[in-house]
Amino acid sequence: MKNIIIFASGSGSNAENIAQYFTNNSNVKIQAVFTNNAQAGVIARMEKFNIPCVVFNRAEYKDETFFLNKINQYQPDLIVLAGFLWLVPEFLVNAFPNKIINIHPALLPKFGGKGMYGMHVHEAVKAANETETGITIHYVNQHFDEGEPIFQAKVALTQTDTPDSIAHKIHDLEMAHFPKVIENLLF
Ligand code: GAR
């Protein structure tokens, strides 16, 4: 049995897609979703899968002993950041070497770094007149969007694309690829 913990701050469409993908797989269990946002849409999305949500605040997140205890309860084989907006602290990176991954909605190293999340990324891609964009799944280190890449998928852009249409294209790539990449890392 492989255990996954998901970290999410927002809507949770990736978390839901991952939960759905593994729902009938008896070798993989989504043990919990950790969120820094008590209002996050991901909380309601997890209810139908009976996946518990752990809400934490900044002080709890910074408290190494407290936070590692919380995580270790679930014995994770993989920690998956799916729209999680806080920087991962060094103690967490060190406690789970090569076991924390993130999805980023652009072709890193382009359009990464602090503040580059969600629509901000798609707006920047549009403003730069890019002819393609995509997703990057990468290992997490203590810097935003800088860990070793694991997987990228690309999609072409045209002059008529808008930040919204780019967001749709990215969403489709995320739904198609993220759970499979996770599965490949687990087995
Ligand atoms: C996803 O597009 C993910 O790639 C992005 O946030 C979105 C979360 O959507 N992550 C980042 O921008 C990280 N820098 P979701 O909550 O519906 O899964």
Side-chain angles (χ1 to χ4, degrees):
M1 167 70 80
K2 300 286 188 181
N3 295 324
I4 296 176
I5 294 178
I6 298 175
F7 276 51
S9 301
S11 161
S13 69
N14 278 284
E16 179 169 4
N17 186 46
I18 295 162
Q20 185 65 50
Y21 184 85
F22 290 113
T23 198
N24 292 319
N25 185 334
S26 54
N27 296 316
V28 177
K29 187 163 163 68
I30 316 296
Q31 288 283 0
V33 168
F34 278 56
T35 184
N36 60 307
N37 177 6
Q39 316 299 325
V42 71
I43 295 172
R45 289 188 195 256
M46 290 304 103
E47 275 169 16
K48 57 179 172 291
F49 297 98
N50 278 320
I51 296 173
C53 284
V54 178
V55 181
F56 56 90
N57 62 31
R58 187 74 76 171
E60 290 166 334
Y61 190 53
K62 285 186 171 167
D63 183 335
E64 180 167 344
T65 309
F66 173 88
F67 204 73
L68 284 179
N69 271 339
K70 276 244 172 233
I71 289 192
N72 283 329
Q73 283 170 25
Y74 299 104
Q75 305 256 301
D77 295 289
L78 198 64
I79 296 174
V80 175
L81 311 191
F84 179 66
L85 299 185
W86 285 1
L87 191 65
V88 175
E90 204 165 342
F91 75 78
L92 203 51
V93 174
N94 292 338
F96 296 97
N98 283 339
K99 285 188 175 179
I100 311 177
I101 66 168
N102 178 48
I103 189 163
H104 187 79
L107 295 171
L108 292 174
K110 285 184 166 182
F111 306 106
K114 191 170 167 53
M116 274 296 184
Y117 61 89
M119 285 306 289
H120 298 293
V121 177
H122 312 313
E123 281 158 8
V125 166
K126 175 69 190 169
N129 239 326
E130 294 289 296
T131 56
E132 63 177 15
T133 188
I135 60 170
T136 303
I137 297 165
H138 63 95
Y139 288 108
V140 168
N141 66 17
Q142 58 273 41
H143 306 288
F144 276 116
D145 304 324
E146 283 187 14
E148 187 197 333
I150 300 164
F151 173 89
Q152 288 190 314
K154 294 179 181 176
V155 62
L157 298 177
T158 66
Q159 288 295 324
T160 58
D161 269 308
T162 63
D164 271 337
S165 71
I166 295 171
H168 278 109
K169 288 179 173 181
I170 292 298
H171 179 78
D172 288 349
L173 289 180
E174 293 187 336
M175 295 300 108
H177 295 290
F178 201 14
K180 288 180 187 162
V181 172
I182 291 168
E183 189 171 34
N184 286 339
L185 287 172
L186 287 173
F187 297 103

